[in-house]
Amino acid sequence: MAAAGAREPVALERIVGALKLLLSPGGSGSSSLQITKHDVLLDTLKSNLSALDKKFEEDPQWKELKSLRDEIAGRAEWLQNSVDVTWSFTSQLLVLLLCLKQSMVLLAANFQPSQPNPRTAEAAPALSPDTLSVCQQKTVQSALQFVVTLGICPFLLTGVGIPLRCRTEFGAVIQDVVSFAATPTTIHRLYTTCMVLLDIAKHVSLGSLILSRHFGDIAAGLCQLGFCPMKRKDEPAKPGREGLKEEERARAREALQSILDQVYQPLVVRELILLQGGAHQTSSDTKMSTSGRAPAWLRRLCGQLLSERLMKPHGVQAVVRGILEGAGAGAAGGAGAEAVAADWRKCDMVAKILASCPQQSLSLEAYYQQISPQILDLLHIQDKLVARQFQRVATTTFLTMTREHPQLAKKHLIQPMLEPIHRCSSMAELLPELELRPGTIVVKEEELSRCLEDAFKVFVVGNEPDTALLQSLLPDLGVVFALYCFTRKNASPLRSFCQESLLWMLEKLERKAALATLKGLAGLDKSVPSLHPLCEFRAASQGGTMVTIKETSSDEDEVLYQKVVSEQDQVEFLVELLSQCQESGLAGDFFICCLEELTHVAVEKEAKPPSEPFSHRSLLALEEYQQALVEEQEKKLLTLQVVAVLCERMSETVFTSITQVVEFVAATLKRACLSLTQELESTVEAQTLSMSMGLVAAILGGAIQLKSSDFEVLQKLVPLLEEVSSTYPEPVIQELAADLRITICTHGAFSTEAVNAAAEATVKKKEPGGGKLEGRPYTRAQRSSDGLQPHGDMASPTESPSTALPTPPTVQGTSPRQQRPLAESAAANQGPRSLGPERFQEVLLSAYDPEVPTRAAALRTLSCWIEQRAPQALQAQEKLLKVFLENMEHEDTFVYLSAIQGVALLADVYPEEILPSLLAQYGDSPGKHPPETRMKVGEALMRIVRALGDMVSKYREPLIHTFLRGARDPDSSHRASSLSNLGELCQRLQFLLGPVVHEVTSCLVAIAKTDPEVQVRRAAVHVVVLLLRGLSQKATEVLRDVLKELYHLLKHVVRLEPDEAATLHAQLALEELDGIMRSFLFPPQRLEKKIVVLP
């Protein structure tokens, strides 16, 4: 600080005034220095230099600045007199800029800001005295521009940087004015200008002005000074290359490296790319056109420097920003960023640069190891202006690296990306540092969300089915599907990522691998990895999902129940996924695969030898054998469940081609042939055989238009039909099988009457009402709808497929009782007026048949007659009610659900007669009726309430009183049932709820706060949800007196209720209430015109 103490800082206004005087137009009479006459330009520069010297000599106020200038000029070794006016002018600018820098440093050092007064209002802090105003910054920028234009650009070699004549017309004038022969030499001028500017740039404010505008020119000068090859001894001296010492060249190299590390890296990358490309621009004036390519040494140098930028931390992002921001992205990107995002060629070019290993890298693997985390980071850019570009570059680079070096990409890119979901897979061992206590977090919310989003961007958005990509995600597909099942039960932003990833994998995998994957997802193949048995998904605090250690339960029944429910959900969600893959035919192939699995199950069931005594076996072997039996039974039941759900959800659309239909028929024929081989007598197998043969007859009979290639596919059925014709005991089936075989072999040239009759009978079933097709031609659309989807009837066990035959045969070995459900189902489809007393009595007696299918079919038939308002059924309402009520006590689900449906339909016709008896039975004491029966009556009452709709208001009093009394029943299940029915009733009463709203509210508050059973408290809170959801905007009027009480109840449940489900219901109710109150307090603004007629 000795120097600072010896001299007071010169005012910045004085130094800036000197710069302004030196840059003024002078006496040329022109308003700009950009003139075309060389002598006038030289005269202007000389005049300004003379004016500055005169000002220093005459004006005493400039004495301090003159003293400072002389001091700095005396210390400057580079300053020397020159006959070249342009260099003298440049030297004076450099000296003044050095004076400005020193004064700014002294002002900042002497500045001591005052302490803020806490008693006064807050004020902005005082500016530092070294701060330049906007006008002063413009003057300094002009001075810097003259320094670079006169001191750097003219002395750059051809191909180094952009020549002056290619920039502006004024640059061409300067190029001709500079005297290259005068002293100092051109190389020394370039060296001096670059070094002095870098010295000035050490000040923060001045450095930002210099490097933000002129970094490219300074970097070009330093590259030439430090790396341009020197002349050989036998080579004559060239202008601009002599006189520079090795120490100066080394200093230039150090300075270049320093500013490369100091400046904003994307700017460095962009300028280095421009230097490497050279000048290819052409001026509008043909006389000034240039086409200089960058010299080889500069191209190599820029490539090396760019590689160094890439290898640095965050170098990938710097390279991407440097290339893309110059095309319109960045802070001011806007529409330019969108345009570049659409320019896939530029993104591909950047991806190829990143995927190529530079020469400076030690090895290819070391390069991949260094840049792979940075490429993954590009997928997480949050800046909306550049996110699309960066993600596109990252995805393309990811795919390029995977395509070129799959093993290295899998190790450094794919595995780190998929590590969170692989961590909780059944293939992975849980980390030893994890304490396997319930609730321990295995995968955090942020990790799982980022993993799924990255996988979606790479796999689905990238859409390149590379083998390495498919094989990398395939082992973890079970975890993704488990997460998808979890998100289907909850609101989660990860659902779409999981769904799209699963659909993409199923579409891109080979068909055999896709079917094996589907079997694993459905649980049919235990070898396919899935979620670790000790882990479970759980909702996280930020709305996402995390993986934690599962809580163990000692209740075996609860564990079994959760397992069964989980398997059912998985099958249903899998079928929903398959419903979106119908165009590819994957759903049909999987259905056929499951049917073939059923055939294998049937063979294993019959071929299994009887169990041997285990006296000679160890206890461990016995346990393993029993476990194998259990797993085998589970697989059989799960296969049946998958087939059932596929039939129920996708029966009409599962097949998309004739090949799949033939495969389906072949699978059913194989199963029928196996049952004949095992000498089994089964009604189901006989019906399946009849259905499949009727389907083949419909195909051959003209239901669809067959091609020659289709007959080649049908040839697969010939051996099976031949086996049926020779082994089946029924002559009609034998004859039809033989005729079908002949028709296929002759490509439809020969067709018997039996085939035509079977085809016509099958097509009739597809027509509404079973109407005949005779008398009108078959259009192509009708053939497609009738012939390509004949399997839609297979999901209905009550419709006999044997009706497809010309004369429905009686299956040998079956009793009339087994065939009765088929006849009753057909009777239900008859008109209500054609029902006779005998037929009605027969069906009524069948409702007490000991066979479950017969009884259920009879109840369905009676319900159908009631729905059709058949007079015979309506006249016997009391008898039908008795039949339904008695069947409600049956233990089979199909029977008592059919009875409940019948009671609901009967009450819809005669509510005044049916409702009182049901309410009396529902409200009786627990000793009179079993709890299960009362629950079934409650289900019937709920269906009746839904069916009555607005008419339920007439029966408001008895219904509400019964449900309120049931809410105090000793049985907790009955209390929950009553509350559920009460919620359905209140949801439909709306304004009519007013007189009893206080009683209902008091009941709900008391139960939600005091009932010991969790399920009852859940039901009470759920009633509030239904009430608010049903009333919607009317809640503020209907519940006006109790709305505050309900709000307090919900807040109490959220704060103190230990049950998560009840808390969730309360939160949903609060959301409903929040939406209602917002709409009430802030109604939507409506623009209305009102015309008032004045009297």
Side-chain angles (χ1 to χ4, degrees), residues 542-826:
Q542 301 298 325
T545 307
M546 60 182 178
V547 183
T548 60
I549 299 297
K550 185 188 301 183
E551 296 183 2
T552 57
S553 176
S554 58
D555 189 354
E556 295 182 357
D557 294 338
E558 180 66 21
V559 173
L560 180 60
Y561 173 75
Q562 293 295 337
K563 180 181 179 181
V564 172
V565 171
S566 175
E567 290 178 350
Q568 291 177 351
D569 292 341
Q570 286 183 5
V571 173
E572 292 180 0
F573 297 149
L574 182 62
V575 173
E576 289 184 7
L577 276 178
L578 285 174
S579 63
Q580 304 182 39
C581 302
Q582 294 178 5
E583 295 182 359
S584 62
L586 181 60
D589 291 342
F590 182 61
F591 181 72
I592 295 170
C593 181
C594 292
L595 288 181
E596 294 176 350
E597 191 71 25
L598 277 181
T599 303
H600 298 326
V601 167
V603 173
E604 293 174 1
K605 180 179 179 181
E606 299 302 326
K608 189 169 185 62
S611 58
E612 301 176 0
F614 295 97
S615 57
H616 62 283
R617 298 190 180 186
S618 63
L619 185 60
L620 180 60
L622 174 60
E623 184 178 354
E624 292 177 353
Y625 180 76
Q626 293 293 338
Q627 181 67 25
L629 288 179
V630 171
E631 292 179 356
E632 183 179 353
Q633 292 298 325
E634 288 180 354
K635 181 179 178 180
K636 294 177 182 179
L637 293 175
L638 192 57
T639 304
L640 290 172
Q641 183 183 2
V642 172
V643 174
V645 175
L646 283 170
C647 292
E648 179 182 357
R649 300 289 180 87
M650 303 178 60
S651 60
E652 294 291 334
T653 56
V654 66
F655 293 148
T656 58
S657 64
I658 185 65
T659 304
Q660 290 183 339
V661 176
V662 172
E663 292 289 342
F664 163 71
V665 173
T668 53
L669 287 178
K670 286 179 182 178
R671 193 165 66 254
C673 293
L674 286 174
S675 64
L676 293 175
T677 305
Q678 301 293 336
E679 297 181 357
L680 297 175
E681 296 180 356
S682 172
T683 304
V684 177
E685 297 297 343
Q687 293 174 1
T688 304
L689 178 61
S690 302
M691 177 189 64
S692 58
M693 294 181 64
L695 180 57
V696 177
I699 294 174
L700 295 174
I704 59 175
Q705 187 175 1
L706 295 176
K707 303 176 183 178
S708 58
S709 58
D710 297 333
F711 281 102
E712 296 178 0
V713 176
L714 288 168
Q715 289 291 331
K716 184 178 181 179
L717 302 178
V718 172
L720 298 173
L721 290 172
E722 184 177 2
E723 184 177 356
V724 171
S725 64
S726 60
T727 58
Y728 200 79
E730 178 62 36
V732 177
I733 298 294
Q734 290 183 358
E735 180 183 357
L736 181 59
D739 293 343
L740 289 174
R741 184 173 62 85
I742 295 173
T743 305
I744 294 174
C745 292
T746 59
H747 287 206
F750 174 79
S751 181
T752 62
E753 291 297 330
V755 174
N756 295 332
E760 184 178 357
T762 303
V763 172
K764 281 181 182 179
K765 284 178 52 181
K766 299 297 295 180
E767 287 294 309
K772 294 183 180 181
L773 298 177
E774 297 176 359
R776 61 184 178 92
Y778 230 3
T779 64
R780 183 172 183 179
Q782 293 166 346
R783 291 175 178 177
S784 176
S785 62
D786 293 339
L788 276 180
Q789 300 170 352
H791 51 280
D793 297 334
M794 64 185 176
S796 178
T798 59
E799 297 183 5
S800 173
S802 61
T803 56
L805 300 178
T807 56
T810 303
V811 182
Q812 200 173 33
T814 59
S815 63
R817 176 178 294 173
Q818 291 174 316
Q819 297 178 358
R820 193 183 301 163
L822 309 177
E824 289 169 355
S825 177

Side-chain angles (χ1 to χ4, degrees), residues 327-355:
E338 295 291 331
V340 176
D343 188 3
W344 57 268
R345 294 183 182 87
K346 183 177 292 294
C347 295
D348 285 352
M349 180 267 293
V350 179
K352 289 180 180 178
I353 293 175
L354 297 178

Side-chain angles (χ1 to χ4, degrees), residues 248-302:
E248 295 173 331
R249 289 171 58 85
R251 186 181 176 190
R253 289 192 289 267
E254 293 177 0
L256 176 63
Q257 193 65 41
S258 176
I259 63 169
L260 289 179
D261 296 336
Q262 178 183 354
V263 179
Y264 179 58
Q265 291 302 298
L267 175 62
V268 173
V269 172
R270 185 163 65 249
E271 294 298 336
L272 288 177
I273 291 176
L274 291 176
L275 281 177
Q276 190 179 33
H280 297 279
Q281 301 181 7
T282 302
S283 174
S284 57
D285 188 359
T286 56
K287 296 180 181 179
M288 301 170 59
S289 62
T290 58
S291 176
R293 186 184 180 189
W297 64 267
L298 182 60
R299 294 197 303 270
R300 289 193 300 268
L301 174 62
C302 291

Side-chain angles (χ1 to χ4, degrees), residues 309-376:
R309 301 304 104 193
L310 179 61
M311 298 295 291
K312 285 183 173 293
H314 307 290
V316 172
Q317 189 173 145
V319 171
V320 176
R321 286 186 181 273
I323 297 176
L324 297 183
E325 283 183 358
E338 295 291 331
V340 176
D343 188 3
W344 57 268
R345 294 183 182 87
K346 183 177 292 294
C347 295
D348 285 352
M349 180 267 293
V350 179
K352 289 180 180 178
I353 293 175
L354 297 178
S356 302
C357 179
Q359 297 179 354
Q360 287 75 17
S361 180
L362 297 177
S363 64
L364 181 63
E365 184 171 2
Y367 175 69
Y368 271 46
Q369 185 176 2
Q370 184 172 1
I371 70 164
S372 293
Q374 300 184 47
I375 293 175
L376 293 177

Side-chain angles (χ1 to χ4, degrees), residues 28 118 144 199 220 254 296 366 398 403 512 527 707 817 872 882 909 937 958 966 1033 1045 1069:
S28 64
L144 291 173
D199 185 21
E254 293 177 0
F398 197 113
R403 183 171 56 251
K512 185 176 180 181
S527 62
K707 303 176 183 178
R817 176 178 294 173
Q872 189 72 28
K882 181 181 179 182
V909 181
V937 174
Q1033 303 303 324
E1045 190 174 356

Side-chain angles (χ1 to χ4, degrees), residues 68 228 307 570 590 617 751 916 919 928:
L68 177 62
C228 179
S307 300
Q570 286 183 5
F590 182 61
R617 298 190 180 186
S751 181
L919 291 175
K928 291 186 178 181

